[in-house]
Amino acid sequence: KALGEEAMRGPKDKSAELTNSVRNPITGRMIRVGGSTHTQLKKKGIMFEGEGSQPASKLDYRRLYEGKGVAPLEGSIVVVHLTLRKMGPGGREGDLIYSTLSQIGDDGAPVPFVFEVGDPSVLRGLNEVVTGMKEGEEGAVKI
């Protein structure tokens, strides 16, 4: 690199640098898209803010009803109703494991499952699915 080359180019364009960056969901720092850290996190199935439109993994997701609202980002609080079933023979619906629809609150309405997108204590597949959904959407996924 020639001495003074940077001075001849002028100051770095920070806006161009930011458009190729995403926030690391673990550290909170900005990292370059396609860089080694970004690549390693993607291989581990970590989702980044703003990614969506469909689950990024190999989850078997089927949209039942298209939502009209916004898609949640990493860190968003989401409210969902879900039903977990064990898969039966031949891929059929099996035994009910858990459903928010069977948990009735004091007001007589089903109690939803509320969580922050990206929370590591939540099933990874659930985190991945909701980032690809829009508000009001209904879907089925095999995890």
Side-chain angles (χ1 to χ4, degrees):
K1 184 171 170 177
L3 186 62
E5 184 179 319
E6 199 168 289
M8 290 174 63
R9 281 195 313 244
K12 278 188 174 182
D13 182 6
K14 290 287 186 189
S15 63
E17 195 174 294
L18 289 177
T19 58
N20 294 326
S21 300
V22 291
R23 187 165 308 282
N24 181 328
I26 297 170
T27 65
R29 294 182 179 158
M30 296 304 286
I31 58 173
R32 190 171 55 80
V33 173
S36 61
T37 302
H38 181 262
T39 303
Q40 288 173 358
L41 292 173
K42 291 286 277 186
K43 284 180 182 175
K44 291 180 181 177
I46 307 262
M47 297 288 291
F48 292 87
E49 184 174 311
E51 293 180 335
S53 76
Q54 282 305 313
S57 70
K58 297 176 183 175
L59 295 174
D60 182 6
Y61 177 75
R62 187 173 39 124
R63 181 179 291 126
L64 303 174
Y65 175 79
E66 187 169 353
K68 303 290 184 209
V70 297
L73 300 174
E74 189 84 20
S76 298
I77 302 297
V78 294
V79 179
V80 298
H81 284 287
L82 57 96
T83 300
L84 301 174
R85 292 187 176 275
K86 190 175 188 177
M87 292 304 293
R92 289 198 209 120
E93 259 186 23
D95 298 335
L96 177 67
I97 296 172
Y98 172 80
S99 177
T100 58
L101 300 175
S102 62
Q103 309 295 316
I104 306 300
D106 295 337
D107 61 355
V111 178
F113 180 58
V114 180
F115 67 98
E116 182 178 337
V117 177
D119 181 345
S121 67
V122 174
L123 285 171
R124 187 175 78 187
L126 184 56
N127 272 310
E128 291 178 21
V129 167
V130 298
T131 57
M133 297 175 79
K134 291 181 180 176
E135 184 178 350
E137 185 170 318
E138 293 179 23
V141 65
K142 292 180 187 176
I143 298 177

